[in-house]
Amino acid sequence: VGSVAEKTLLEYHVEWLITGCDAAVAADGFYTADVNLSNLERRSIAMAHRVAVITDSTKFGHPALTRFATPDDVDLLVTDDALSGADAATLRQRQVEVIQVPAT
């Protein structure tokens, strides 16, 4: 993280950015508690052709310190099958593909 990492990103072609989050609100977006990581995530999202967020359903329903992506920035969410139907529907309405897998 940091300015060196952000500058280095400009040298890469990113087809898929695959990331996680510390928290999420279906109508609002994806959050982290780390401001430096948030800046790096935003720059990565801006240069990626597609963005996937992989996180468990317990992260939904509350924000963290800083938002790094809105639902409009994300193409795919992979999460467990405990994600609420309302949250899944909200994301799908924003054109996010939602894949739910069985929790183990």
Side-chain angles (χ1 to χ4, degrees), residues 20-74:
C21 66
D22 293 330
V25 177
D28 191 41
F30 300 89
Y31 293 80
T32 181
D34 185 328
V35 173
N36 290 319
L37 181 59
S38 182
N39 291 335
L40 186 64
E41 292 280 9
R42 278 191 212 105
R43 288 185 186 255
S44 299
I45 288 167
M47 60 186 295
H49 290 277
R50 295 187 178 117
V51 176
V53 175
I54 302 174
T55 194
D56 63 276
S57 63
T58 64
K59 303 289 175 70
F60 278 82
H62 55 87
L65 179 62
T66 179
R67 183 177 67 183
F68 65 86
T70 69
D72 297 331
D73 296 322
V74 175

Side-chain angles (χ1 to χ4, degrees), residues 4-27:
V4 173
E6 292 172 25
K7 185 176 179 181
T8 303
L9 280 177
L10 300 174
E11 299 175 16
Y12 293 97
H13 166 81
V14 179
E15 187 63 34
W16 274 98
L17 172 68
I18 301 171
T19 190
C21 66
D22 293 330
V25 177

Side-chain angles (χ1 to χ4, degrees), residues 30 53 55 60 74-79 83 91 96-99:
F30 300 89
V53 175
T55 194
F60 278 82
V74 175
D75 299 290
L76 171 66
L77 169 69
V78 179
T79 191
L83 181 69
L91 290 164
V96 178
E97 180 182 357
V98 178
I99 297 176

